Amino acid sequence: QSSYHKMEITYVYTKIRSEFGRPCQFSDQPVELIVDISPDPTLAANFIERDIRDFAIQCSQDMSVHEVNTVCVESLTSSINHVEGGWPKNIDPLNIDETDRHKKKALKDEHCSTVHNVQQNNAGDIYHLYYEDDEMVEETPDQPSARAITFFRDPNEVKRTATSLSWHPTGSPKMAVAYSCLEFQRATEEMSFDSYIWDFESSSKPDMILKPVSPLICLEYNPKDSHILAGGSYNGRIAYWDTRKGTQPVEMSKLEHSHQDPVYKVIWLQSNIGTDIFSASTDGQVLWWDIRNMAKPTERMVLDLSKEGNLDKAIGAVSLEFEATMPTKFLVGTEKGLVLYCNSKAKTPAESIECTFSGHYGPVYAIQRNPFFPKNFLTVGDWTTRIWSEDIKEPEMTYLMDACWSPVRPSVFFTVKMDGMLDVWDILSKQNEPMLRRQVCSDALYSLRVQDNGRFLACGSHSGLVTLLEISQGLCTLQRNEKSLVASMFERETRREKRIQGMLKEDGQRMNFFMIWI
């Protein structure tokens, strides 16, 4: 089991310089073959060939950026002259000591007069505008904005990571948050396993506590029944809750028939009764469940690229995506940077993985289809966000722990980074830089989810802080001809990539013919 986060240094090994022995003396001598180890063909099966990638290298000198804060003496003197009508009569302007003392006193008084006074009352109103002078700038199409509304903090003394967020499916101001400690070396026996349901109108304490037997890494509301939630645990078990029946899980999967590694994603399937879910884990399996009987999974798929169904050769799954309009197809983001396009109705292991998308060099932490153009999807991994098309096998680069599309605007998507930054992208406006960049917190942001109406966005941090933001009206309102413009852009880029692939293929064939002719 592994965690994809920065490791803390727990111990440093040191050695005295004198214990290293005498310094080495080097001298020139003829080439001499000391040992010749021949390759062992039997070990080739244990190695995975890495895809060759092309990188652009710019041969230019690195320059550092320097900034200097300066103070204009004339402006300072001018500001002093405007305080109480200029210099007092009892102060000699030529006396340096007296003028310096008067300058400091005048600047201090001027600063204190501009400090905002926070209005205090018995009951704090999270929506109250305490700083009345700081009026919000009137929104324009060129000035998008996002402001923090409230915060949900992990109530435990040892803060844990908010690993998963799920909005209430009916639009109610509630959110389910899964908490888990991903720095497993820091986990203790006294650390809480609880996850919570929060209400926007009461952010001081959770609306409900969920008590799993193992920390939850993922948690999802049932879109057909808002009282039902399903979660995946660190010990590999799947559980579901009914909020009408208390804080304990109604039923859990048996340990011997569950995942062998932490469950990183659980998704509800579209069905008439709304009781079917499927889960993905780093043990290399995708399991289907019916919450009415969780003794065993109803189906099982092994993510083996050799298409033999061998669990020993399976690659771990980190993210999962399902689209209701494609009920038999789903996408899996893996630990090795591959995106697997899978068929849930495959009759043999060879048919389960139809194709792969290669481009990331690290785990694919998030994957989601565009709600307006399901054939196009985005992924997050190795600090990059990539937009893909099912028709081509190479990614479209754009410019990071999670990402999601806007549910109301087909050209807008959101990403969160390890430095606590939220980026809002509009591919119709800019492809090389985000249209809005906001520092949400100082910790790493791990999870991200947008409400169905596109108005509210929640970010979960590594320290367990969940920040709720309200998106400006321009970012959650469908623009004129936006859908048709995005459709034409995806079609144009798909045709361009196909042409490039065709040209590369023709060049390869010509080169092979030339070498054969020689």
Side-chain angles (χ1 to χ4, degrees):
Q1 298 170 353
S2 60
S3 173
Y4 310 108
H5 297 275
K6 186 182 294 183
M7 302 292 290
E8 295 183 357
I9 298 176
T10 57
Y11 186 79
V12 178
Y13 295 89
T14 60
K15 191 174 183 180
I16 302 176
R17 180 181 178 86
S18 59
E19 296 179 357
F20 281 95
R22 300 179 59 185
C24 299
Q25 299 293 334
F26 298 98
S27 61
D28 295 333
Q29 65 180 19
V31 178
E32 179 182 358
L33 179 61
I34 299 176
V35 63
D36 184 9
I37 302 176
S38 302
D40 187 356
T42 60
L43 299 177
N46 298 330
F47 291 88
I48 299 176
E49 185 178 356
R50 187 172 182 178
D51 294 341
I52 300 176
R53 306 291 299 168
D54 295 332
F55 289 94
I57 299 176
Q58 180 66 34
C59 298
S60 61
Q61 184 178 4
D62 294 335
M63 304 294 292
S64 61
V65 179
H66 300 275
E67 296 179 358
V68 178
N69 292 328
T70 60
V71 178
C72 181
V73 178
E74 295 181 1
S75 300
L76 182 62
T77 305
S78 176
S79 64
I80 296 295
N81 291 334
H82 284 83
V83 177
E84 299 181 356
W87 297 101
K89 296 181 180 180
N90 58 348
I91 294 180
D92 184 6
L94 300 178
N95 191 327
I96 298 178
D97 295 335
E98 292 182 357
T99 55
D100 287 342
R101 285 196 298 268
H102 182 69
K103 288 179 182 179
K104 294 179 181 179
K105 182 178 182 302
L107 291 176
K108 181 178 180 181
D109 296 338
E110 183 181 5
H111 172 72
C112 293
S113 64
T114 60
V115 175
H116 297 287
N117 295 321
V118 178
Q119 301 177 5
Q120 302 290 339
N121 48 29
N122 294 331
D125 184 3
I126 63 175
Y127 301 102
H128 184 72
L129 185 62
Y130 289 105
Y131 301 95
E132 295 181 349
D133 295 338
D134 295 341
E135 297 181 358
M136 293 184 62
V137 179
E138 184 178 356
E139 182 188 345
T140 62
D142 297 333
Q143 290 182 326
S145 64
R147 63 184 182 92
I149 298 178
T150 186
F151 303 93
F152 307 110
R153 300 183 184 276
D154 185 1
N156 295 279
E157 182 177 356
V158 180
K159 305 304 179 185
R160 302 161 298 162
T161 302
T163 54
S164 179
L165 310 172
S166 180
W167 290 93
H168 197 278
T170 63
S172 175
K174 293 184 179 182
M175 172 182 291
V177 183
Y179 290 91
S180 178
C181 179
L182 297 179
E183 296 178 0
F184 304 121
Q185 297 87 347
R186 190 169 60 92
T188 61
E189 295 181 358
E190 295 79 13
M191 184 172 291
S192 173
F193 290 172
D194 297 346
S195 292
Y196 306 102
I197 297 177
W198 297 90
D199 193 326
F200 299 172
E201 299 177 356
S202 177
S203 61
S204 59
K205 63 179 182 179
D207 184 66
M208 185 175 180
I209 302 176
L210 304 179
K211 292 185 173 296
V213 298
S214 179
L216 292 178
I217 296 183
C218 55
L219 185 63
E220 289 291 337
Y221 269 109
N222 187 340
K224 288 185 174 293
D225 189 346
S226 60
H227 299 287
I228 305 296
L229 298 98
S233 304
Y234 172 67
N235 64 359
R237 302 179 73 178
I238 307 296
Y240 87 92
W241 283 261
D242 190 333
T243 57
R244 297 164 294 190
K245 297 182 180 180
T247 61
Q248 299 294 332
V250 178
E251 190 174 354
M252 295 184 295
S253 61
K254 292 184 178 181
L255 191 61
E256 59 269 20
H257 297 297
S258 302
H259 290 282
Q260 302 174 12
D261 279 1
V263 181
Y264 281 90
K265 190 65 176 179
V266 170
I267 295 181
W268 289 90
L269 296 172
Q270 296 291 335
S271 61
N272 295 331
I273 54 179
T275 60
D276 297 325
I277 59 176
F278 72 127
S279 57
S281 168
T282 49
D283 65 352
Q285 296 183 96
V286 177
L287 304 180
W288 282 260
W289 307 86
D290 189 336
I291 63 173
R292 296 173 299 179
N293 182 11
M294 300 191 66
K296 291 184 178 181
T298 57
E299 294 183 38
R300 184 188 304 266
M301 179 183 292
V302 178
L303 303 177
D304 180 12
L305 294 180
S306 64
K307 299 184 179 181
E308 298 176 357
N310 189 350
L311 188 58
D312 296 333
K313 297 181 180 180
I315 55 178
V318 183
S319 54
L320 193 63
E321 169 65 3
F322 172 76
E323 171 59 39
T325 59
M326 305 175 184
T328 62
K329 310 294 182 181
F330 63 94
L331 298 169
V332 180
T334 66
E335 292 179 302
K336 297 182 179 179
L338 295 175
V339 177
L340 309 182
Y341 187 82
C342 302
N343 182 6
S344 60
K345 298 300 181 181
K347 297 180 180 179
T348 61
E351 299 175 354
S352 59
I353 302 176
E354 295 188 358
C355 65
T356 61
F357 297 86
S358 163
H360 288 289
Y361 298 105
V364 181
Y365 292 111
I367 180 171
Q368 187 180 23
R369 292 183 182 272
N370 189 308
F372 298 90
F373 306 98
K375 284 192 174 183
N376 299 95
F377 58 94
L378 65 85
T379 57
V380 160
D382 56 38
W383 291 271
T384 60
T385 302
R386 300 172 183 244
I387 298 179
W388 309 71
S389 173
E390 290 184 358
D391 297 332
I392 54 178
K393 299 299 186 295
E394 288 293 331
E396 174 66 21
M397 293 291 295
T398 55
Y399 177 29
L400 333 127
M401 291 302 296
D402 203 356
C404 63
W405 288 98
S406 169
V408 294
R409 291 196 56 186
S411 65
V412 174
F413 66 92
F414 308 87
T415 61
V416 289
K417 298 182 179 180
M418 291 287 290
D419 58 358
M421 190 75 68
L422 167 70
D423 289 342
V424 183
W425 299 79
D426 187 345
I427 56 178
L428 288 181
S429 176
K430 299 178 181 179
Q431 289 83 35
N432 298 326
E433 60 180 350
M435 64 182 304
L436 173 64
R437 179 168 291 169
R438 191 186 193 283
Q439 186 73 39
V440 178
C441 62
S442 58
D443 297 324
L445 293 176
Y446 186 86
S447 50
L448 172 70
R449 190 64 67 90
V450 183
Q451 199 178 25
D452 291 341
N453 59 12
R455 186 68 176 178
F456 299 103
L457 180 144
C459 304
S461 74
H462 183 264
S463 61
L465 176 66
V466 178
T467 304
L468 177 65
L469 300 103
E470 182 181 7
I471 306 301
S472 59
Q473 190 66 30
L475 291 174
C476 56
T477 302
L478 186 65
Q479 304 298 313
R480 182 179 180 182
N481 299 329
E482 180 176 359
K483 190 173 181 180
S484 59
L485 292 174
V486 174
S488 61
M489 171 184 286
F490 285 156
E491 293 175 359
R492 182 183 69 248
E493 294 300 318
T494 301
R495 291 195 302 268
R496 184 178 68 87
E497 288 293 330
K498 287 183 177 180
R499 287 198 299 268
I500 293 175
Q501 288 184 352
M503 294 171 60
L504 294 175
K505 186 177 180 180
E506 292 178 359
D507 292 341
Q509 293 176 350
R510 293 174 182 173
M511 182 61 68
N512 291 336
F513 175 78
F514 178 73
M515 294 176 64
I516 294 173
W517 184 81
I518 292 178

